Amino acid sequence: MSIAVERMGQGPELVLLHGWGMNGAVWHGVAPELARHYHLHILDLPGFGASSVPDTCDYTLPWLADAVSEVIPERAALLGWSLGGLVASQLALTRPERVERLITVASSPCFMSREEWPGIAPKVLHGFQHMLQGDFMQTIERFLAIQAMGSEHARNDIRQLRHWLAQRPHPSPLALAAGLKLLETVDLREDMHNWQGEWLRIYGRLDSLVPKSVIPLLDERYPASHSRVFDKASHAPFISHPHDFVELLAGLKG
């Protein structure tokens, strides 16, 4: 297995982890500006983009975190979007000495809705799992539409995501199916109490995958963390509001 890493910029180390079905090219809209403030390490997660994945691997969250740990600096800030936020969180839990700061974007320690916990409806995830058995590109297109839903820049957001997705090889069917399973089953709510470092949680108020109603629950559960909400953004605030996103991250240095 090999993990593709694109590096650029100078400054403190910052690792960027993309979401389900995507690849590291999704960061290209903000990478040039971020590179003025950070030394970026933009990964394609195993099975996505230019990163390979063994057909026989046990594609679990701990396995993903271990794989990522092999190609990132000894110590760095981790920024994970959506599914990438779970990977970053897992790495922070298992290798805290290597994580300077945890930043999660449009992510949740528990994505699936459960009793008294807002999240993605089970029928939505099960629908994607069923669609993957047919045309996986149709599944990706549907997911792109849901990610941009509610954003005032929805059409442009979808166009940008589609453009960057097409720049690299299609994702592995194994990684797609396993990634959906992670979104369905992973629950780090209790484990994240063990993370004692800095944690910035970034959200879009119009996000339909990580609903705004989960934000105050996480604020209460992790009072040492900080949340920032982009009022007019959906699931990809770094695409709909790139300048505000970069300005926020640039202010974290030091």
Side-chain angles (χ1 to χ4, degrees):
M1 182 185 70
S2 63
I3 294 184
V5 185
E6 181 181 4
R7 297 179 174 89
M8 66 176 73
Q10 294 182 340
E13 309 287 359
L14 177 62
V15 176
L16 303 179
L17 304 174
H18 61 81
W20 182 83
M22 303 292 108
N23 57 55
V26 298
W27 302 108
H28 282 178
V30 293
E33 285 299 311
L34 277 179
R36 297 174 56 192
H37 306 279
Y38 294 98
H39 182 211
L40 303 180
H41 304 258
I42 305 174
L43 275 64
D44 286 346
L45 292 174
F48 295 96
S51 293
S52 61
V53 62
D55 292 334
T56 57
C57 80
D58 186 15
Y59 204 102
T60 64
L61 190 60
W63 178 85
L64 275 175
D66 285 344
V68 168
S69 72
E70 296 293 326
V71 297
I72 63 175
E74 280 301 308
R75 188 166 174 84
L78 298 186
L79 188 155
W81 170 47
S82 196
L83 174 62
L86 286 179
V87 180
S89 297
Q90 180 68 33
L91 222 162
L93 290 170
T94 56
R95 292 176 170 80
E97 74 282 355
R98 299 190 56 186
V99 181
E100 182 73 31
R101 175 187 288 117
L102 176 63
I103 306 166
T104 55
V105 181
S107 192
S108 172
C110 179
F111 272 88
M112 180 110 112
S113 65
R114 302 165 194 258
E115 185 177 356
E116 299 182 352
W117 186 262
I120 306 173
K123 65 179 182 181
V124 172
L125 282 176
H126 295 159
F128 281 123
Q129 289 166 345
H130 179 73
M131 290 174 67
L132 274 181
Q133 299 172 18
D135 185 346
F136 82 88
M137 282 308 299
Q138 183 183 15
T139 310
I140 297 296
E141 285 287 332
R142 175 62 180 151
F143 194 65
L144 293 180
I146 290 179
Q147 289 186 75
M149 190 181 300
S151 169
E152 62 181 352
H153 310 106
R155 287 188 178 181
N156 184 64
D157 291 358
I158 294 172
R159 184 165 55 249
Q160 291 278 26
L161 285 166
R162 187 185 295 120
H163 168 71
W164 287 319
L165 180 62
Q167 289 183 3
R168 298 184 181 177
H170 290 327
S172 153
L174 182 153
L176 286 171
L180 279 183
K181 195 67 176 177
L182 293 178
L183 292 176
E184 178 186 3
T185 60
V186 168
D187 185 352
L188 296 180
R189 287 178 293 176
E190 290 303 316
D191 292 341
M192 288 308 296
H193 287 295
N194 296 322
W195 169 243
Q196 301 298 314
E198 292 185 47
W199 184 8
L200 172 63
R201 299 177 287 108
I202 302 173
Y203 304 95
R205 189 172 297 281
L206 305 176
D207 194 342
S208 60
L209 294 172
V210 180
K212 64 182 180 181
S213 54
V214 82
I215 301 172
L217 298 180
L218 293 170
D219 286 339
E220 181 179 1
R221 186 176 282 261
Y222 312 112
S225 69
H226 302 279
S227 60
R228 170 67 184 271
V229 182
F230 286 73
D231 286 334
K232 296 184 179 181
S234 183
H235 194 62
F238 58 95
I239 290 177
S240 60
H241 297 79
H243 300 299
D244 294 336
F245 188 82
V246 170
E247 183 178 12
L248 173 60
L249 294 186
L252 299 177
K253 292 192 305 179

